[in-house]
């Protein structure tokens, strides 16, 4: 069991790894070389850098308490009780070897040591080490930034004890939440080797086919199922100096040609390194983006490539996009076809050298570079006949292991490098909705949501509307799912989905706005009531309902989460009741729920100031506060202490299912609570606070109005201090919601947000 981790080297990677380990709730010792005046200055600076990093390196800055800093001269002893020591120091063999020599005599005999090197062969790092040390050593290659990049490449040597590898894999996957992939000890491992090759080809072929940087980025991003940062935005983010260095190292280590075009080196010489120097392939001035013309070295206003063919492909499934991309007219299609042929040829040829199986190659590119599907899946989508044809066209020879084969994946098997098919290993902790659908486990499907059978008596409600917005279709499917569980004698329900970004962006605002503009107030009142009944049903159904939120979980999505019997949240959770941003308040039980949570929490203490709880709920809702991790969501009160966090998104649905089974054993639904409201006393105080903000010029008149409506609900509509029912507060929510929706300014806010995705402060 790994209970304490050491990280040596507090630079970019070491400090990021330490922040991730601490975020996971594991104590970590972070060491760097001694400083001149302050002996710990380097480690201290690393920790500070992690605390300042944006996006944040820590999931909760308070977790920095888990990090103990020191220097490698005075404090090496602090590593004595660490179960795993990660080395992330300067990329040179000698200092790394010297460090291991010192660690060898010091660490406990069971401690594991790993290197974060991105390219030095393990056998060189291990020179001079004992057999015992070698058994407990491997490469652990994190990507920058460690919190956000899902991939962790593990590089065992022939001497690594399989138990050591298994322990690091388990810890990496479950505790740190990474997608682990086994790589061979070859230069650049898997992701960088293939990724950098693709980047070099894209730059060379851009020149050859006479394309611009804007054009290449339009063609190599989401069209191919890759991030929007495509080729050149990615390079700007990585840094051109880093790319240059990695490409040079790869050339040297492999003897292959990773040379970038001449103008690339000129850019590096001129210090145009990307975002860190304020400009690279792109630069921003006064909010406008400019693109480099690599033939003249001048920046020109960005010119996005507009082709009717691209627009038509935009929202199509990946397979269609890929086929469409390679058939684009003229130089665009020609560029993509050659890029595709050369990069997949390289992949197919090198895969046996760099990986143990093709699964790892697909995963490395999906997890490391955010590809929707890895290269072997891409090739299957296009058909291997097409791929062979493309090889032929560019004079590329097909490697032996794929010859005569029709697919890389078929019937739950994959093609091994030995030319035979092998079963894709089952991962018992992972439930993939995609596979369940293939296996016919969909019990009901509507346009916006479906009901799936997760097995063992557990059903799942999946949203699949745009941004997983919650509208009537989702609510009706929820109703149906709850009925199915009850009537079909299932044990419980999970609410979750597999969208890459959003659990749910909230209620369907477009619909709400159009009903308001048409004056359909009865319909709106009915819809709001229906939403509230849905969140109530989540809580009071006679079986457990576990909600599994991740990513964007806003407004109505947050209200679903708040009403779960149990929340199984992904660590990367961006949850908030953001209704005030569009001039509304949470009316799916969210306002009621925060009041209940914060006052109930306090009512256990004699003499507690209940207004403190009311104020806390008010602040959260009126400022539309969003937590930026599940840990922060606990702090803000969106998650309760008893709710659980899953670090690795791949395990989320299976964890939620397990929780349903656990709760189902002796489940009894809660009793509807009585809630103490403070009436006029709270209303007066909150209104006064709102007024002060207005006086200070911090909020607009309409925001005063929004604040007052929130205050009205949270104080139980004024009057004396008393106990009220949940339904009473829900009615106040509905009334206040409809009043705000009736105002011109709220409608303007909604329209603006729908159009731009941004809030309007009117
Ligand atoms: P960095 O230069 O940001 O940090 C290295 C740190 O190590 C510095 O704080 C330095 O003071 C310290 N250091 C140097 N020699 C030391 C020694 N003998 N003992 C203790 N501390 C020492 O480098 P980085 O980018 O964090 O890279 C660290 C390692 O991770 C390298 O092996 C690198 O190849 C690898 N890596 C880097 C990235 C990346 O994107 N930066 C990604 C994956 C892997």
């Amino acid at each position: 069991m790994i209970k304490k981790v050491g990280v040596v080297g507090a630079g970019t990677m070491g400090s990021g790894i330490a922040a991730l380990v601490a975020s996971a709730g594991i104590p970590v010792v972070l060491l760097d070389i001694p400083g001149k005046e302050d002996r710990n200055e380097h480690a201290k600076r690393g920790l500070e850098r992690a605390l300042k990093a944006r996006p944040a390196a820590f999931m909760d800055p308070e977790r920095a308490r888990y990090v103990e800093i020191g220097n490698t001269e005075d404090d090496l002893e602090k590593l004595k009780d660490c179960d795993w020591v990660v080395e992330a120091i300067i990329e040179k063999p000698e200092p790394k070897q010297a460090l291991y020599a010192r660690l060898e005599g010091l660490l406990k005999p069971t401690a594991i040591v790993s290197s974060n090197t991105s390219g030095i062969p393990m056998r060189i790092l291990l020179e001079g080490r004992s057999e015992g040390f070698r058994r407990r050593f491997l490469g652990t290659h994190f990507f920058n930034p460690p919190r956000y990049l899902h991939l962790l490449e593990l590089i065992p040597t022939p001497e690594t004890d399989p138990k050591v590898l298994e322990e690091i894999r388990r810890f990496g996957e479950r505790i740190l939440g990474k997608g682990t992939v086994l790589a061979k000890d070859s230069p650049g491992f898997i992701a960088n080797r293939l990724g950098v090759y693709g980047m070099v080809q894209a730059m060379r072929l851009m020149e050859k086919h006479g394309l611009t940087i804007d054009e290449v980025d339009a063609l190599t991003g989401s069209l191919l199922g890759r991030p929007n940062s495509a080729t050149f935005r990615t390079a700007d983010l990585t840094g051109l100096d880093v790319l240059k260095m990695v490409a040079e190292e790869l050339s040297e280590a492999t003897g292959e040609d990773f040379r970038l075009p001449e103008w690339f080196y000129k850019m590096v010489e001129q210090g145009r390194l990307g975002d860190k120097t304020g400009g690279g392939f792109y630069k921003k001035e006064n909010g406008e983006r400019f693109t480099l013309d690599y033939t003249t070295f001048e920046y020109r206003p960005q010119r996005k490539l507009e082709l009717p063919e691209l627009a038509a492909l935009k929202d199509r499934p990946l397979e269609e996009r890929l086929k469409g991309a390679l058939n684009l007219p003229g130089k665009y299609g020609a560029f993509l076809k050659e890029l595709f042929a050369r990069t997949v040829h390289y992949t197919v040829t090198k895969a046996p050298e760099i990986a143990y199986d093709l699964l790892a190659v697909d995963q490395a590119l999906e997890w490391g570079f955010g590809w929707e599907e890895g290269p072997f899946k891409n090739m299957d989508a296009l058909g291997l006949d097409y791929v062979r044809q493309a090889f032929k066209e560019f004079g590329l020879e097909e490697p032996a292991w794929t010859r005569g084969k029709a697919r890389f994946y078929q019937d739950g098997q994959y093609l091994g490098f030995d030319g035979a098919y092998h079963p894709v290993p089952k991962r018992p902790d992972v439930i993939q909705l995609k596979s369940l659908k293939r296996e016919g486990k969909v019990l009901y499907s509507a346009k916006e949501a479906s009901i799936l059978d997760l097995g063992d008596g557990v059903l799942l409600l999946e949203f699949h509307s745009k941004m997983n917005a919650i509208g009537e279709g989702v609510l009706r499917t929820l109703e149906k799912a709850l009925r199915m569980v009850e009537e079909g004698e299932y044990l419980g329900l999970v609410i979750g989905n597999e969208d890459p970004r959003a659990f749910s962006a909230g209620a369907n605002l477009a619909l709400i706005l159009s009903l308001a503009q048409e004056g359909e107030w009865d319909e709106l009142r009915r819809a709001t009531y229906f939403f509230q009944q849905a969140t109530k049903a989540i809580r009071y159904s006679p079986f457990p309902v576990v909600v599994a939120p991740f990513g964007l979980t806003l407004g109505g999505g947050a209200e679903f989460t708040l009403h779960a019997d149990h929340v199984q949240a992904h660590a990367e959770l961006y949850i908030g009741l953001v209704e005030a941003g569009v001039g509304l308040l949470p009316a799916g039980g969210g306002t009621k729920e925060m009041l209940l949570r914060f006052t109930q929490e306090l009512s256990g203490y004699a003499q507690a100031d209940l207004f403190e709880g009311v104020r806390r709920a008010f602040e959260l809702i009126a400022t539309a506060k969003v937590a930026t991790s599940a840990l922060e969501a606990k702090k803000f009160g969106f998650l309760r202490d008893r709710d659980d966090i899953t670090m690795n998104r791949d395990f989320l649905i299976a964890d939620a299912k397990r929780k349903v089974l656990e709760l189902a054993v002796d489940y009894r639904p809660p009793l509807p609570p009585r809630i103490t409201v403070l009436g006029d006393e709270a209303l007066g105080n909150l209104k006064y606070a709102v007024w002060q903000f207005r006086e200070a010029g911090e909020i607009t008149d309409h925001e005063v109005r929004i604040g007052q409506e929130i205050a009205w609900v949270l104080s139980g509509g004024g009057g004396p201090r008393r106990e009220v029912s949940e339904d009473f507060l829900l009615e106040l929510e509905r009334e206040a919601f409809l009043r705000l929706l009736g105002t011109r300014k709220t409608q303007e806010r909604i329209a603006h947000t729908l159009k731009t995705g941004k809030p309007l402060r009117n």
Side-chain angles (χ1 to χ4, degrees):
M1 278 286 276
I2 296 172
K3 295 199 209 81
K4 189 170 179 184
V5 172
V7 177
V8 186
T12 309
M13 293 307 290
S15 62
I17 295 167
L20 175 66
V21 173
S23 296
I26 304 281
V28 46
V29 175
L30 178 64
L31 305 182
D32 204 290
I33 49 172
K36 285 202 186 81
E37 274 161 34
D38 175 354
R39 300 280 288 170
N40 293 342
E41 100 180 50
H42 292 288
K44 203 179 274 170
R45 225 185 296 139
L47 181 59
E48 277 161 14
R49 176 173 341 138
L51 278 164
K52 279 200 211 116
R54 291 294 170 269
F58 281 98
M59 292 179 182
D60 173 358
E62 269 178 33
R63 287 280 159 113
R65 281 192 297 119
Y66 282 75
V67 183
E68 184 185 355
I69 56 168
N71 68 74
T72 43
E73 236 156 69
D74 311 330
D75 303 311
L76 211 62
E77 294 266 319
K78 287 187 174 162
L79 299 176
K80 250 182 154 164
D81 56 348
C82 289
D83 306 292
W84 174 26
V85 176
V86 189
E87 168 273 302
I89 68 172
I90 186 170
E91 183 72 341
K92 286 199 178 125
E94 299 78 17
K96 288 186 196 276
Q97 290 165 338
L99 174 68
Y100 304 155
R102 290 177 69 203
L103 292 179
E104 177 154 16
L106 177 86
L107 299 182
K108 54 184 179 186
T110 50
I112 299 169
V113 179
S114 74
S115 175
N116 193 52
T117 177
S118 30
I120 306 173
M122 302 299 142
R123 82 190 130 69
I124 293 182
L125 295 180
L126 281 170
E127 271 168 22
R129 296 285 63 73
S130 71
E131 206 180 296
F133 188 93
R134 287 161 180 264
R135 267 207 302 277
R136 300 188 321 272
F137 182 88
L138 74 163
T140 51
H141 187 221
F142 286 87
F143 289 72
N144 188 26
R147 170 176 166 188
Y148 296 97
L149 284 196
H150 190 51
L151 180 63
L152 169 59
E153 288 177 328
L154 300 182
I155 309 101
T157 73
E159 291 157 290
T160 310
D161 184 339
K163 281 202 226 97
V164 164
L165 176 61
E166 193 43 44
E167 184 155 5
I168 293 295
R169 188 211 270 272
R170 199 202 69 85
F171 188 84
E173 287 189 347
R174 285 275 11 160
I175 309 294
L176 301 183
K178 298 293 106 183
T180 63
V181 152
L182 284 201
K184 288 188 178 162
D185 190 4
S186 72
F189 312 123
I190 302 174
N192 281 347
R193 175 88 169 261
L194 300 179
V196 174
Y197 185 84
M199 195 142 273
V200 170
Q201 287 299 325
M203 287 191 202
R204 287 185 188 170
L205 294 173
M206 167 171 81
E207 240 185 333
K208 174 174 168 186
H209 291 271
L211 268 54
T212 65
I213 285 172
D214 285 332
E215 287 171 337
V216 169
D217 271 1
L219 296 171
T220 55
S222 54
L223 178 67
L224 306 182
R226 304 191 192 165
N228 285 326
S229 53
T231 303
F232 293 102
R233 270 296 298 139
T234 303
D236 271 354
L237 287 169
T238 310
L240 274 65
D241 52 338
V242 175
L243 187 59
K244 171 177 175 276
M245 193 183 70
V246 180
E248 280 169 359
E249 280 169 6
L250 281 173
S251 295
E252 197 176 320
T254 59
E256 293 168 7
D257 179 11
F258 280 89
R259 213 176 147 67
L260 289 145
E262 280 315 312
W263 46 264
F264 177 90
Y265 297 105
K266 199 164 136 199
M267 286 178 72
V268 177
E269 259 166 46
Q270 295 178 349
R272 304 184 202 218
L273 304 182
D275 288 13
K276 62 181 156 193
T277 57
F281 295 111
Y282 296 99
K283 84 174 174 194
K284 250 190 178 164
E285 255 169 38
N286 305 323
E288 200 187 341
R289 189 175 293 173
F290 293 83
T291 314
L292 184 82
D293 179 337
Y294 61 94
T295 57
T296 62
F297 263 58
E298 275 162 17
Y299 286 92
R300 293 200 304 217
Q302 184 170 25
R303 245 180 276 155
K304 292 212 165 138
L305 177 61
E306 309 226 353
L307 288 179
E309 290 90 344
L310 283 185
L313 289 170
K314 196 168 166 271
D315 292 318
R316 307 304 305 158
L318 179 59
E319 185 170 331
E320 280 177 45
R321 270 181 283 145
L322 287 174
K323 287 181 179 157
L326 297 171
N327 282 316
L328 283 176
K331 58 184 179 181
Y332 303 121
F335 162 79
L336 283 174
K337 197 164 183 193
E338 184 164 358
L339 180 65
F340 172 78
R342 295 198 182 281
T343 48
V344 298
H345 180 263
Y346 187 75
T347 304
V348 173
T349 315
K350 295 295 163 190
E353 250 176 64
I354 63 180
Y356 295 93
D357 53 44
L358 64 78
L359 305 170
V361 175
D362 274 351
Q363 285 167 337
L365 289 159
E366 288 163 16
W367 294 343
F369 295 126
W371 290 23
E372 205 174 317
E373 296 200 331
F376 289 100
K377 288 183 197 154
N378 286 173
M379 284 184 266
D380 270 358
L382 288 162
L384 294 199
D385 286 342
Y386 177 91
V387 174
R388 288 189 182 104
Q389 193 55 41
F391 285 175
K392 220 187 218 162
E393 203 174 320
F394 296 99
L396 304 165
E397 197 184 332
E398 184 179 355
W401 70 279
T402 66
R403 278 187 212 146
K405 299 293 190 268
R407 292 184 67 80
F408 289 110
Y409 293 89
Q410 62 182 24
D411 310 326
Q413 300 190 314
Y414 70 93
L415 181 64
F417 299 144
D418 56 0
Y421 285 93
H422 304 270
V424 175
K426 289 242 176 322
R427 300 168 75 200
D429 282 348
V430 178
I431 294 179
Q432 274 190 321
L433 302 189
K434 239 192 266 171
S435 333
L436 286 185
K437 286 176 192 167
R438 270 200 302 271
E439 291 161 23
K441 302 288 175 150
V442 180
L443 303 181
Y444 172 82
S445 194
K447 188 162 162 263
E448 298 180 316
S450 299
I451 304 170
L452 279 75
D453 188 350
L454 294 180
D456 302 315
V458 182
L459 297 189
L460 171 103
L461 170 72
E462 178 200 22
F463 317 150
H464 39 68
S465 48
K466 188 167 178 214
M467 289 297 273
N468 288 326
I470 303 175
E472 174 133 8
V474 170
L475 298 179
R476 292 241 172 266
T477 314
L478 169 68
E479 227 181 4
K480 195 172 173 72
L482 295 171
R483 223 177 23 244
M484 274 168 89
V485 174
E486 201 165 348
E487 289 168 5
E489 295 184 9
Y490 287 97
L491 295 172
L493 180 72
V494 171
I495 301 180
N497 65 74
E498 269 176 357
D499 189 86
R501 283 184 308 152
F503 168 74
S504 168
N508 185 342
L509 279 179
L511 183 68
I512 292 173
L513 180 63
S514 82
L515 288 174
Q517 285 168 339
E518 287 159 19
E520 299 277 358
W521 296 104
D522 284 345
E523 175 60 19
L524 279 164
R525 182 165 284 113
R526 193 196 61 77
T528 317
Y529 181 75
F530 189 38
F531 199 112
Q532 294 180 336
Q533 291 307 307
T535 52
K536 267 178 75 178
I538 290 175
R539 171 150 311 159
Y540 296 115
S541 291
F543 48 79
V545 177
V546 173
V547 177
F550 58 84
L552 285 184
T553 300
L554 304 176
E559 288 176 310
F560 264 51
T561 306
L562 290 171
H563 288 81
D565 298 313
H566 181 88
V567 180
Q568 189 73 42
H570 181 223
E572 297 296 348
L573 178 67
Y574 303 83
I575 187 171
L577 293 167
V578 295
E579 286 83 349
V582 286
L584 294 167
L585 54 68
T591 307
K592 172 265 316 176
E593 186 60 21
M594 295 329 286
L595 177 70
L596 172 64
R597 265 185 199 194
F598 295 150
T599 54
Q600 212 174 41
E601 211 171 84
L602 290 168
S603 62
Y605 301 98
Q607 309 291 319
D609 180 3
L610 281 191
F611 182 69
E612 203 31 50
V614 179
R615 197 196 52 73
R616 198 172 154 203
F618 180 81
E619 193 190 306
L620 212 56
I621 295 169
T623 62
K625 216 163 164 179
V626 177
T628 55
S629 69
L631 279 181
E632 204 169 63
K634 281 205 171 185
K635 240 174 133 172
F636 289 1
F638 292 126
L639 299 184
R640 299 152 294 195
D641 280 347
R642 68 165 195 268
D643 291 325
D644 284 319
I645 299 175
T646 296
M647 286 295 278
N648 190 335
R649 179 74 201 279
D650 297 344
F651 302 143
L652 189 61
I653 303 245
D655 284 356
K657 173 186 163 183
R658 194 169 327 111
K659 196 68 201 184
V660 166
L661 293 174
E662 193 184 310
L663 291 173
V665 175
D666 53 6
Y667 187 76
R668 287 171 305 277
L671 207 61
R674 301 287 298 172
I675 303 165
T676 305
V677 293
L678 296 180
D680 287 335
E681 182 192 331
L683 187 58
N685 275 335
L686 291 176
K687 278 190 170 173
Y688 180 68
V690 170
W691 176 79
Q692 277 182 319
F693 278 114
R694 181 69 191 107
E695 283 293 288
E698 286 179 32
I699 59 174
T700 66
D701 282 340
H702 191 53
E703 284 164 340
V704 170
R705 174 78 200 272
I706 301 165
Q708 286 175 342
E709 292 288 5
I710 298 169
W712 188 72
V713 178
L714 289 174
S715 61
R721 174 184 179 133
R722 65 203 186 282
E723 270 195 356
V724 298
S725 69
E726 211 173 17
D727 284 338
F728 174 79
L729 286 172
L730 290 178
E731 197 178 324
L732 297 189
E733 275 188 7
R734 282 199 306 275
E735 285 176 29
F737 178 85
L738 294 173
R739 274 197 299 270
L740 284 172
L741 189 52
T743 63
R744 186 176 49 83
K745 294 224 155 167
T746 284
Q747 295 185 11
E748 280 171 10
R749 280 191 172 207
I750 299 177
H752 180 86
T753 299
L754 283 171
K755 202 165 143 207
T756 64
K758 298 200 176 91
L760 169 72
R761 293 199 61 188
N762 56 1

